[in-house]
Amino acid sequence: MTENRRTREDIKRERQLKNKSKKTKTSAGKWIKRIVLTIVLVGVLGLLSGAALFGYYVSKAPELDEELLKDPISSEFYDVNGELFATIGAETRQYVKYEDIPKQMRDAIIATEDSRFFEHFGIDLWRLGGAVLANFRDGFGAQGASTITQQVVKNSFFTNEKKLERKAQEAWLAIQLERQYSKEEIFEMYFNKVLMSGRIYGFGTAAKEFYGKELSELTLAESAQLAGMPQSPNNFNPYKKPDRAKKRRNIVLSLMVQHDKISEEEATEAKATNITAGLLPEEERVANATTKYPAFLDVVLSELEEKGDGEYIAEGIKVYTTLDPKAQTVVENLMNNDSNFPTENIEAGVAVVDTQTGELRAVGGGRNYVAFNYNYAYDLQTRQPGSTLKPLIDYGPAFEYLKWSTGETTVDEKITYSGSKQVIGNWDGKYLGTMTVREALYTSRNIPAVKTFREVGPDRSQQFLANLGIQSKGLTESEAIGGGRINISPIQMAASYAAFGNNGTYNNPHSISKIVFRDGKTSKSYKPEPKIAMSDYTAYMVTDILRDVVSNKKNASAPRAMVSGVDIAGKTGTTNYSSDEFKKYNLKSSSVPDTWFAGYSTNYSIAIWGGYEHRKDAITTWEERWMPQYLFKSIMTDLNQHNPASTFKQPSSVVSASIVIGSNPLKLANEFTPQNQRTTELFVKGTEPTQYSEEFVPQTLEAPTGLQATFNEVAQLADVTWSHPSLNEANDNEENTATQTLDPITYEVSMAVDGNAAAVVSVSSATSIQVPNIERGKVYTFTVTAISGELRSEPAAVTLFVEGDTSTEPAEPEDPNNGVEDPNNTENPAQPDNNGNNNWNNGNQNQGNGNGNNGNGNSGNNGNGNGNGNGNTVEPEPSNPSPSTPNQPSPPAAGGNETNPEDSEDE
């Protein structure tokens, strides 16, 4: 019982615990109340601060101006010299009253842009709430909530900046606009003010420009197409980007169904309409009349769209471009002259880029280009580049990453694609064997290109392309020769090639330098940062090879692009049809779809594509294939006249060396290497070979042997004979490289009379010669020298003295044999002097000594003459059986030539 009784201590402890619990609960409640009060207070303060800030922003808002509300603000475009060349604004617009806007057109616009337009007071709170959530989730400016009313205000008074101050002022003025104008008036402002595409303002103007119709004549599909364009005018242009335009049109049709403007059946029928079916043919469009240089201006507008700045055009900005009016005029004059094109319908796209900066100087969008049409210089993204890709994907990476020289050896031989049985072919169907990569590139061989790609590897090739602004993925061997999935516009091609001419520095191609907003203070630069794409040695070695492409070298692929006096490098490209396409389109075997030329100087890089609008229309002649080369030559010639180019400078990182072609490893050529087996090539400094080839040893040519000279008393001539070791020893000594590589041997025979200057009397491959008109009492010295290519032997010499008439004591000759007795040890009897015989002299003159080169001439009874004249041997008369009595030779036959000995080498 005592155990159940509580003590005073227990009771005291229980009270303390209760008090502590009460204090804890009271404390937590107080903190919750404090937090709630704090939040409320912050909210009130924030609301008051926000209201104050909003009031401050509103106080700075501009006044509503009806003229600005109704008329577009013109934007101006300036060339590289700061001269105005185009203005886009109200002057190109067709104004339409609200009551003349068809209901179908109104429904399409409202369903797309502002479905609660006729319910809100200028601001759509539901739409605003969704935008706020999106901005909290993705960051401020991620999503807009602009109503049609707000868009009118924005396009009239503000720049397209997502700043809190501007948004606050825009909202305030939208409310004021709704108070001062009716919904119909506001819709009319929007309808006529909105930018539709490029230089087209207002839906009425767009209906005329795109479809050649009044608004009331538009089909549902056409109305939906126009209603969807303001969100991104150039990207949804059906002429330029039909696929995107179709997708956008179908979204508009779905929104119209969603908001009960049309039925599902009507939408389905409209979606089935071809997106280009009702478009106005380009020859009937009139947009060109509003501006100069339409092809260049279209690129500028597209670049603004790409940067997300397309809406700025409606805000009255100044656009400073890179346009060179002189260059643009050259290109347009060329493109608009039908005589420069081999067929009536063949097309071309031309891009002229500044080699040093990447700035676009001129654009040829197509023949007789019409604004907003398909621009072959900018929009061409579905055509393969052909062999113009080889320096970018194969050889450039090989020089950069493998440090190959231009003399690296490759073999042009039959191979197949890796993992396939498909044979890789060359353009001429031939395989040329061992060659340098220089020759492989400038003659555009496919097999060496694929082999080079294999050595480099797809990853390094992909990186090299990325450095030049070309994105690629999963490269295969078909890309190595310009096929596959890589497609490049002429503008991108020109910019990529410019890096080779700019010591390896790449600049993104751009047509805009900067834009200046309406306040005149705010601007935005468009100039890209230069990027080191490759080493200077890579850039120069590629350039040096591509110089050969436009040279007169054998098999060079683009001699027609050569410009006299201008240091140019370049590359051709041609694409192929697949076997299925040949069957599908019923094409000739020589048909190709595309032809390219990309070339550059130190000032300009120019890329030109040629082909037809539709792939099924094939290039079938060489004139069509060569067209880009001819266009390039004309453009570069004119451009160089007002801005002469300098020469490409070899950097210190590159050295040249003379090597033996095909040596592996590469070896230096020595002084005895034949010219046809040596070449001078470029090397990355420090990688050049240091060892000389031992394949070729110093070559010597032995002198003739057994040289003899005898006097023929009957014919009054000297018989000179000799021999040479090569006649018996050729092929006997396999180790004698000199013998194995000797060119054919000829023999040069000279004669000196009585110590006077020697004259060449014969050069032939014969080992004997007969010299006529030998006179008694004179000393004749004959020398014979063997010749093989550039080699000359030591001369062999012999002296012949013929005694005078034996009836008279002849004068003692002065050392006729130079101290050596007559080697033949003969004393020739006196013979009658035949020099007086005119017929005999004529025969000898034409045959024996006439030319001094190889040939047969008349030589009296013996019938043999040494010389290179075209005379005929005279056979002995059959009535004279005795050889001791000479017959009188006949005159030379027709066609015999009388030439001077000095001309023998030319003959």
Side-chain angles (χ1 to χ4, degrees):
M1 187 172 180
T2 359
E3 294 176 356
N4 294 330
R5 184 182 294 176
R6 292 185 300 168
T7 63
R8 288 183 177 181
E9 287 77 12
D10 293 334
I11 294 170
K12 184 177 181 181
R13 192 178 300 110
E14 289 175 0
R15 287 176 179 174
Q16 288 175 345
L17 290 172
K18 288 180 179 178
N19 290 336
K20 185 175 182 181
S21 176
K22 287 180 180 180
K23 288 181 179 179
T24 302
K25 290 179 180 178
T26 303
S27 177
K30 287 181 179 179
W31 275 109
I32 291 173
K33 290 179 182 179
R34 289 174 182 173
I35 291 172
V36 171
L37 289 172
T38 301
I39 291 173
V40 171
L41 181 60
V42 169
V44 171
L45 291 174
L47 185 60
L48 293 173
S49 298
L53 183 61
F54 183 78
Y56 172 71
Y57 287 154
V58 166
S59 68
K60 297 171 60 180
E63 296 291 331
L64 292 177
D65 184 318
E66 185 171 352
E67 183 178 349
L68 292 177
L69 287 168
K70 290 187 175 182
D71 294 329
I73 303 170
S74 296
S75 289
E76 298 175 341
F77 296 81
Y78 297 86
D79 63 27
V80 72
N81 303 315
E83 299 293 330
L84 180 70
F85 73 90
T87 302
I88 295 177
E91 62 276 5
T92 62
R93 180 190 59 172
Q94 178 179 339
Y95 197 89
V96 181
K97 293 287 187 180
Y98 179 82
E99 56 267 25
D100 296 325
I101 302 173
K103 182 178 183 301
Q104 179 179 266
M105 190 79 252
R106 294 200 307 267
D107 289 344
I109 295 171
I110 290 173
T112 305
E113 293 293 333
D114 189 356
S115 62
R116 284 178 288 274
F117 172 70
F118 284 100
E119 285 79 40
H120 62 64
F121 57 95
I123 300 173
D124 188 340
L125 295 179
W126 287 102
R127 193 172 181 180
L128 180 61
V132 170
L133 290 176
N135 291 335
F136 269 116
R137 182 179 65 249
D138 303 323
F140 181 73
Q143 179 177 319
S146 294
T147 63
I148 286 178
T149 310
Q150 286 175 286
Q151 290 184 55
V152 171
V153 169
K154 179 190 70 174
N155 292 340
S156 301
F157 303 105
F158 301 107
T159 62
N160 189 30
E161 298 176 286
K162 293 181 178 179
K163 291 183 178 180
L164 187 59
E165 178 179 359
R166 199 218 74 183
K167 296 301 289 185
Q169 293 175 347
E170 180 187 294
W172 170 255
L173 289 179
I175 296 171
Q176 299 305 307
L177 185 62
E178 292 270 355
R179 293 176 62 185
Q180 297 183 34
Y181 294 89
S182 68
K183 288 287 187 180
E184 290 76 12
E185 289 175 314
I186 295 171
F187 189 86
E188 181 181 308
M189 293 174 187
Y190 172 81
F191 191 85
N192 290 287
K193 188 180 182 68
V194 68
L195 177 67
M196 294 299 294
S197 185
R199 60 190 71 87
I200 300 174
Y201 284 92
F203 287 92
T205 310
K208 285 284 190 182
E209 181 64 35
F210 288 102
Y211 299 107
K213 295 179 178 181
E214 298 295 336
L215 288 167
S216 59
E217 299 173 325
L218 294 175
T219 66
L220 174 58
E222 292 165 350
S223 296
Q225 173 61 54
L226 295 181
M229 291 184 66
Q231 187 185 72
S232 185
N234 283 342
N235 280 327
F236 298 143
N237 186 317
Y239 283 106
K240 298 170 69 68
K241 299 179 180 178
D243 291 339
R244 290 187 179 184
K246 180 179 179 180
K247 184 177 180 180
R248 179 62 177 166
R249 179 200 66 184
N250 292 347
I251 289 174
V252 173
L253 290 168
S254 296
L255 287 171
M256 292 180 74
V257 173
Q258 178 183 330
H259 294 293
D260 298 323
K261 304 298 183 181
I262 59 174
S263 67
E264 188 70 54
E265 291 75 16
E266 289 175 310
T268 301
E269 183 181 352
K271 288 178 181 180
T273 305
N274 189 315
I275 194 69
T276 61
L279 292 176
L280 196 66
E282 63 177 74
E283 61 270 15
E284 297 180 26
R285 299 171 65 201
V286 296
N288 268 350
T290 65
T291 183
K292 294 193 296 183
Y293 316 133
F296 193 96
L297 185 57
D298 276 359
V299 173
V300 172
L301 297 174
S302 295
E303 188 172 336
L304 285 169
E305 286 285 344
E306 268 190 2
K307 300 293 185 182
D309 299 336
E311 291 184 1
Y312 288 169
I313 297 298
E315 299 173 9
I317 59 175
K318 295 181 186 296
V319 183
Y320 291 88
T321 75
T322 61
L323 169 72
D324 181 347
K326 290 182 180 179
Q328 185 65 33
T329 300
V330 167
V331 171
E332 288 191 0
N333 288 343
L334 193 72
M335 298 292 285
N336 296 338
N337 186 344
D338 291 343
S339 65
N340 294 318
F341 296 88
T343 67
E344 182 180 355
N345 297 320
I346 195 169
E347 273 291 356
V350 178
V352 181
V353 168
D354 187 293
T355 303
Q356 308 301 317
T357 65
E359 294 179 344
L360 192 62
R361 295 296 182 219
V363 172
R367 296 172 63 179
N368 302 297
Y369 184 81
V370 177
F372 308 131
N373 205 13
Y374 188 88
N375 192 315
Y376 287 104
Y378 180 84
D379 297 318
L380 192 74
Q381 300 290 345
T382 58
R383 300 298 185 104
Q384 296 170 340
S387 292
T388 52
L389 199 60
K390 289 175 182 175
L392 311 177
I393 197 173
D394 304 322
Y395 298 102
F399 297 140
E400 180 69 14
Y401 303 121
L402 306 180
K403 293 191 176 181
W404 277 10
S405 76
T406 60
E408 184 76 20
T409 300
T410 186
V411 181
D412 183 15
E413 59 188 345
K414 184 177 180 180
I415 64 171
T416 63
Y417 287 108
S418 298
S420 170
K421 294 182 180 180
Q422 182 180 350
V423 175
I424 305 171
N426 288 308
W427 65 270
D428 57 0
K430 299 177 181 179
Y431 304 104
L432 302 184
T434 301
M435 60 180 60
T436 63
V437 294
R438 174 187 291 276
E439 183 180 359
L441 177 53
Y442 86 72
T443 59
S444 202
R445 311 304 292 176
N446 284 344
I447 284 80
V450 173
K451 287 185 174 183
T452 302
F453 176 80
R454 290 174 179 175
E455 292 288 329
V456 171
D459 291 341
R460 286 188 286 200
S461 288
Q462 182 174 316
Q463 181 59 53
F464 196 83
L465 287 174
N467 292 345
L468 296 174
I470 302 170
Q471 300 306 313
S472 59
K473 188 177 181 180
L475 296 178
T476 65
E477 292 175 358
S478 60
E479 276 91 14
I481 54 177
R485 294 162 294 178
I486 295 179
N487 300 310
I488 307 175
S489 71
I491 291 177
Q492 181 60 63
M493 180 75 77
S496 298
Y497 266 72
F500 293 127
N502 193 28
N503 300 313
T505 299
Y506 171 76
N507 294 283
N508 271 323
H510 55 287
S511 61
I512 304 173
S513 298
K514 67 176 180 178
I515 58 176
V516 178
F517 294 96
R518 200 186 323 163
D519 60 10
K521 300 176 182 178
T522 311
S523 64
K524 181 178 180 179
S525 175
Y526 273 61
K527 290 185 177 180
E529 288 294 325
K531 176 183 178 181
I532 302 300
M534 69 191 86
S535 304
D536 59 357
Y537 59 76
T538 299
Y540 185 76
M541 288 198 287
V542 169
T543 295
D544 194 56
I545 295 177
L546 297 188
R547 282 166 159 166
D548 292 342
V549 173
V550 294
S551 71
N552 286 321
K553 278 192 171 184
K554 181 181 179 181
N555 296 327
S557 57
R560 296 158 195 83
M562 182 168 49
V563 179
S564 178
V566 185
D567 195 0
I568 292 173
K571 184 71 185 74
T572 57
T574 306
T575 62
N576 297 315
Y577 287 107
S578 67
S579 57
D580 290 340
E581 286 177 313
F582 274 106
K583 294 178 183 177
K584 179 179 178 181
Y585 303 138
N586 192 28
L587 300 173
K588 297 179 180 178
S589 60
S590 60
S591 299
V592 299
D594 308 283
T595 178
W596 289 82
F597 183 76
Y600 54 97
S601 68
T602 54
N603 289 338
Y604 300 103
S605 180
I606 304 173
I608 302 175
W609 166 87
Y612 290 89
E613 179 183 359
H614 303 292
R615 186 174 172 86
K616 65 181 178 64
D617 298 324
I619 293 170
T620 58
T621 67
W622 283 106
E623 286 72 20
E624 292 167 282
R625 291 198 190 196
W626 293 334
M627 180 188 71
Q629 297 180 43
Y630 289 125
L631 294 179
F632 174 90
K633 181 184 181 74
S634 296
I635 295 170
M636 185 65 85
T637 299
D638 286 345
L639 293 181
N640 195 67
Q641 289 179 355
H642 73 267
N643 188 16
S646 58
T647 58
F648 298 109
K649 305 300 182 185
Q650 181 172 319
S652 60
S653 59
V654 176
V655 296
S656 59
S658 180
I659 61 168
V660 178
I661 298 173
S663 55
N664 188 16
L666 292 177
K667 291 188 177 181
L668 297 171
N670 60 34
E671 59 181 309
F672 306 105
T673 304
Q675 289 296 326
N676 63 350
Q677 297 187 49
R678 67 167 67 193
T679 180
T680 300
E681 298 295 348
L682 302 177
F683 295 81
V684 179
K685 190 174 183 178
T687 67
E688 65 273 21
T690 56
Q691 293 186 340
Y692 284 89
S693 171
E694 298 177 356
E695 182 179 0
F696 304 99
V697 296
Q699 293 181 324
T700 57
L701 190 59
E702 296 185 64
T705 58
L707 178 61
Q708 294 182 347
T710 60
F711 180 61
N712 186 321
E713 295 186 32
V714 176
Q716 296 291 294
L717 52 79
D719 287 310
V720 183
T721 61
W722 64 91
S723 184
H724 194 270
S726 64
L727 299 177
N728 300 319
E729 297 177 5
N731 302 321
D732 286 348
N733 187 352
E734 295 182 358
E735 296 181 358
N736 189 339
T737 306
T739 301
Q740 293 176 353
T741 59
L742 286 178
D743 290 334
I745 297 177
T746 57
Y747 303 95
E748 178 185 274
V749 181
S750 299
M751 179 181 72
V753 182
D754 288 343
N756 295 319
V760 176
V761 295
S762 173
V763 178
S764 73
S765 59
T767 55
S768 65
I769 182 176
Q770 291 183 322
V771 182
N773 300 328
I774 298 299
E775 299 182 24
R776 291 182 178 278
K778 293 188 177 182
V779 178
Y780 295 87
T781 302
F782 300 98
T783 58
V784 181
T785 305
I787 302 173
S788 177
E790 296 181 356
L791 297 176
R792 293 177 66 90
S793 73
E794 292 293 324
V798 66
T799 299
L800 172 65
F801 170 66
V802 181
E803 292 184 354
D805 191 341
T806 55
S807 62
T808 312
E809 187 70 24
E812 180 75 14
E814 185 177 349
D815 195 11
N817 295 319
N818 293 326
V820 179
E821 293 186 7
D822 180 358
N824 297 318
N825 194 23
T826 60
E827 292 185 7
N828 295 319
Q831 297 291 334
D833 186 357
N834 292 318
N835 289 335
N837 188 318
N838 191 43
N839 291 332
W840 183 271
N841 286 338
N842 289 338
N844 285 328
Q845 183 179 1
N846 281 283
Q847 311 306 325
N849 227 7
N851 194 3
N853 287 328
N854 301 332
N856 295 321
N858 293 327
S859 57
N861 291 337
N862 292 331
N864 295 321
N866 290 290
N868 208 21
N870 292 326
N872 301 308
T873 300
V874 179
E875 297 294 332
E877 296 261 343
S879 60
N880 186 2
S882 173
S884 60
T885 305
N887 292 316
Q888 296 299 320
S890 302
N897 295 324
E898 180 177 347
T899 58
N900 295 323
E902 291 82 1
D903 296 331
S904 60
E905 292 186 3
D906 294 333
E907 292 293 322

